[in-house]
Structures are given as C-alpha cells and as structure tokens.
Amino acid sequence: MNAIISAPELVNELAGSRPPVLLDIRWQLSMPGAAPFDGRVAYAAGHLPGAVFVDLDRELASASGAGGRHPLPDPEVFGTAMRRAGVSSGVPVVVYDGGQGWAAARAWWLLRWTGHPDVRVLDGGLPSWEGALDTDVPAPAEGDFTPVPGAVELLDADGAAALARSGLLLDARAGERYRGEVEPIDRVGGHIPGAVSAPTNENVGPDGRFLPPAELTARFKTLGTTDTTAVGVYCGSGVSGAHEVLALAVAGIPAALYAGSWSEWSSDPTRPVAVGPDPQ
C-alpha cells in the first residue's frame, strides 16, 4: 500500500464506491512567546469537503512533561477522536495538513502504530488541492476503530541510544539544532550520540511534495541505509520525525520512531549530548 496519495488520485477515490475518511490535521509549532496557532480557525475558513478536524495537541498527543512535548496520546483518547471522525478499520483514511506534512504524518504514524490497515497522507497537503473548499462541519457516522498499539516499531530513549550504536538513528531536525548551534525550545542543543543529521525538509521539493521514491532511496542510502540496517528516527517531539518515517516508507524503507525525541532526551541531564557535525 502506498503511504501517500496525490490530489488527483484523491479526487478519483472520493468519487468512487469506497471513498476514504478525510482528516484535517492542520497544526504549526508554536515558538515560546508567540501566539499559538489555532488549527480550528484555519479549518473553519475552508477545508476539503467532508473532512473532520483533529487536534494534534489534544487528540494526537498527551500533555507535555517528562515524556517530551508531544508524548503519545492515551489510546482511549485517540480512539474516541478517531471514531468521532468516522474512522473504521475497514474504511481507508486520508490525512492532510496545511502543506508542511508534519502533522499529517503524525496522524498517519499513529493510525499505523495502532493497527489501521489503510491510511495515507495527501502529498503536498491542502495547497495541492485544486477543488473547492467547504466551510460546513460534517457529522459523520461514528466509526468502529479501536486502537491496538504496537503494529509498527516504537523506540524509547534506551532503544534510540542502542540503535545509534547498532544501526542507523536519523535526526530529522534542522542541521543547526542537531549541531547544537541554536536551540529555541529545548533545555540544551545537540544530538543523541551516534545519530546522523537528516533534516526532514530535504525529503520534499519546493512545492512540499515528496521527492520521487528513487531520489529518496538514494538520499537515505547516502545517509547509511542498507538492506539489513535497522533504522530509527527522532526529531524535537515526535512530529517532524513522523514525516521522516513517512519519507522512508515512500522509499520502501521501514523505520521506527522515537516518539519522545529530543524534548524527552534532553530533559534528563544524565543523558549524554553530542554537539557539532560529527555523529559522536
């Protein structure tokens, strides 16, 4: 199954006999001191017809704390949100956001991790959609999806540290944060020792769409993937990292996500921190 879907392909599927459930996951990272982004306002101004808004901070994550800025949501909370949106195990799901792709990838990863068999991300997000937008709020029939966590691999801090030594751990954040030159959010800058810098924005073109699979495969091979390499990804809080896991999936490379990511790792002063361009 493809992990992404183009806007023309989505148009065809919506007109078909088995249309997907649409989830609008518009979200942006709010920097300290700035007014928080409100995805509901963006959704109310116009969304794909039939799409239901899902709140990343409240329904795709639990409260920030020792587990990072976006710890995994309680399965009951997540399941309730998905059923409210009309998600059922036997119906395909397409998720999209405002174009960056991070938030949609978080929803994609969570649905996969909890066992949904058919979920894709709209490549390029809302900007790729050429049809009319809607302002009506749909009221879909209650879905039947029951999350069962564990369908794909999840890393904790110890697992991420071990993978950085035994396999390939990719850091999806911007290079300057990896190197420790700047750190606008977390306690300290730098990276997990052994992790390789792989900014997720290098997986997409200027239009926000993913690079072709062959180009992604070549990029990840340059970063250290092989047919036998175990691969993991982390970021700041498990959102942009999910986007890198999605890019790896487009390239045909399975990868685990360290959901706590740097916000969890760096919150513990006993964990080692590496700085500079060298992984170690």
Side-chain angles (χ1 to χ4, degrees):
M1 185 192 73
N2 291 332
I4 57 176
I5 183 172
S6 70
E9 290 170 334
L10 179 57
V11 169
N12 290 336
E13 291 199 12
L14 289 172
S17 59
R18 192 167 173 258
V21 171
L22 296 178
L23 304 182
D24 184 310
I25 324 285
R26 271 179 277 184
W27 170 89
Q28 292 179 16
L29 178 64
S30 297
M31 301 302 289
F37 175 81
D38 191 341
R40 293 182 186 276
V41 173
Y43 171 82
H47 51 265
L48 267 60
V52 175
F53 179 75
V54 177
D55 191 311
L56 186 148
D57 287 319
R58 295 176 176 83
E59 296 172 318
L60 304 185
S62 54
S64 63
R69 283 195 309 281
H70 290 105
L72 295 180
D74 180 280
E76 289 298 320
V77 173
F78 178 64
T80 296
M82 293 299 98
R83 291 188 292 272
R84 170 188 61 81
V87 174
S88 292
S89 295
V91 179
V93 177
V94 171
V95 295
Y96 72 91
D97 58 25
Q100 188 179 41
W102 295 4
R106 170 78 173 208
W108 167 84
W109 185 87
L110 279 169
L111 281 163
R112 291 179 67 245
W113 179 63
T114 54
H116 197 286
D118 190 350
V119 54
R120 289 161 291 170
V121 170
L122 176 59
D123 194 17
L126 188 64
S128 71
W129 181 259
E130 297 182 354
L133 299 181
D134 200 350
T135 56
D136 292 337
V137 178
E142 182 88 357
D144 66 12
F145 179 65
T146 299
V148 181
V152 296
E153 189 176 0
L154 170 69
L155 296 173
D156 59 13
D158 290 341
L163 186 60
R165 296 188 298 270
S166 66
L168 178 65
L169 183 65
L170 299 176
D171 185 317
R173 297 171 301 154
E176 58 268 25
R177 292 184 68 192
Y178 169 89
R179 295 187 296 271
E181 297 165 358
V182 299
E183 182 44 65
I185 307 172
D186 294 315
R187 185 186 67 84
V188 65
H191 57 270
I192 296 173
V196 173
S197 180
T200 197
N201 61 3
E202 296 180 14
N203 296 320
V204 299
D207 59 0
R209 293 179 173 88
F210 281 104
L211 300 176
E215 291 185 29
L216 289 172
T217 300
R219 179 185 187 226
F220 291 123
K221 184 176 181 180
T222 299
L223 291 170
T225 60
T226 70
D227 291 341
T228 59
T229 304
V231 180
V233 179
Y234 75 96
C235 58
S237 66
V239 179
S240 67
H243 190 264
E244 185 120 298
V245 173
L246 175 58
L248 284 153
V250 172
I253 303 168
L257 178 68
Y258 171 27
S261 287
W262 188 249
S263 57
E264 178 188 44
W265 181 277
S266 64
S267 68
D268 184 346
T270 67
R271 294 192 182 109
V273 171
V275 296
D278 190 289
Q280 301 301 330

